Amino acid sequence: MSTIRRKRATAFWSAFSVLLALLLSACGKADFTFPTYSYVNPLGTSFQNADPAVTLDGILDDAIWKDKRLLELAMKTDPGVTVNMTSYYGTDGLYLAFDVRDPSVYSVKGRDITSNSGIELYISSMEGASDISGHGYEVDLSANGETAVKRYERGSYRSWPVQLHTAVKTDGEMNTPNCKGYVIEAFMPYSMFGGEKAASVYATPLLVRRQRRKTPVVQLRDGGPQRLLDAGVHLVDF
């Protein structure tokens, strides 16, 4: 071995020995604790909407919801599964409410949001446009509170960095037969629709259902999420 290589090897092992000694010394201290992890995700902070007419809490007891017209949908194969949707053009954004009656509400956080029970909403202002490019959105609202937004760009829906705010309240414990449905209140900023207050917004709500097999794993009998596909396109002016 050359003199240079011998010196490099000696320097490496010397540094390694010092590092190992420091690690062993730290491990030998009984009172050693890791510092508290204190990072707060800014997207997870509480949201206070500006319109006093609505309280986002998953309970449709605000006066503005009382006399609203409802878009009422029901599954043809199971009339007991229903979705009532309504809306409110607030001072700071568009508010939507969904009252879902469904005896099969299953959701697992961390799984793809479109595979959990919830609402899959297609919504667009279409104002001054001949197609939905840059105007159409796929908004996924899970019964577990998770959300995701995609905007139609260049021929497909792509993830879009807009912050939604929702509140969800289930009727019974999720992932059990005791859950009979859920309510979702959602806030969408008017910036999604091209202005401070959109003149007209169109929407198609789909109900994503999950059903459980006899196994403990939450799955669908047909291998994919079931959707209420006959909702049609509706002007959001309920």
Side-chain angles (χ1 to χ4, degrees):
M1 180 181 292
S2 67
T3 302
I4 295 177
R5 288 185 177 180
R6 188 179 298 108
K7 288 183 178 179
R8 289 179 177 175
T10 301
F12 170 81
W13 286 112
S14 297
F16 178 80
S17 298
V18 172
L19 178 61
L20 181 61
L22 290 173
L23 290 174
L24 291 174
S25 175
C27 292
K29 295 181 180 180
D31 58 346
F32 175 79
T33 57
F34 287 99
T36 302
Y37 184 72
S38 58
Y39 175 75
V40 176
N41 188 331
L43 296 181
T45 57
S46 60
F47 167 72
Q48 182 60 51
N49 56 298
D51 194 320
V54 184
T55 300
L56 287 178
D57 55 7
I59 303 174
L60 304 181
D61 58 354
D62 297 309
I64 58 106
W65 299 129
K66 296 300 183 181
D67 299 321
K68 282 287 184 178
R69 291 190 299 132
L70 298 175
L71 173 62
E72 300 177 345
L73 304 170
M75 288 193 71
K76 293 180 180 179
T77 57
D78 189 348
V81 178
T82 63
V83 178
N84 287 339
M85 172 184 171
T86 191
S87 62
Y88 166 64
Y89 287 89
T91 59
D92 53 347
L94 176 63
Y95 293 83
L96 298 172
F98 303 88
D99 187 349
V100 178
R101 298 296 92 195
D102 185 357
S104 179
V105 182
Y106 293 96
S107 180
V108 177
K109 284 199 172 185
R111 182 171 59 184
D112 188 280
I113 189 172
T114 59
S115 295
N116 289 325
S117 293
I119 296 293
E120 185 175 296
L121 183 71
Y122 292 87
I123 190 166
S124 173
S125 66
M126 291 296 293
E127 188 170 4
S130 58
D131 61 55
I132 64 170
S133 295
H135 298 270
Y137 295 89
E138 176 189 324
V139 179
D140 298 301
L141 307 170
S142 175
N144 67 18
E146 294 179 325
T147 64
V149 180
K150 298 176 182 178
R151 193 165 89 164
Y152 194 82
E153 297 281 351
R154 300 188 299 278
S156 64
Y157 285 96
R158 304 167 184 266
S159 294
W160 192 255
V162 63
Q163 190 173 357
L164 300 185
H165 300 282
T166 63
V168 183
K169 186 174 180 60
T170 59
D171 183 6
E173 185 178 353
M174 191 183 299
N175 296 329
T176 73
N178 297 324
C179 190
K180 305 304 179 184
Y182 52 91
V183 170
I184 298 178
E185 281 185 299
F187 167 86
M188 300 180 186
Y190 284 135
S191 59
M192 288 179 60
F193 310 113
E196 294 183 358
K197 188 171 182 179
S200 58
V201 174
Y202 295 85
T204 299
L206 308 180
L207 174 65
V208 182
R209 301 192 71 214
R210 295 298 304 190
Q211 291 179 319
R212 186 172 58 169
R213 290 176 173 171
K214 293 181 180 179
T215 60
V217 181
V218 178
Q219 295 178 328
L220 272 183
R221 295 188 182 123
D222 62 359
Q226 293 178 330
R227 284 169 168 79
L228 180 62
L229 296 176
D230 58 351
V233 178
H234 301 270
L235 178 65
V236 179
D237 64 346
F238 315 121

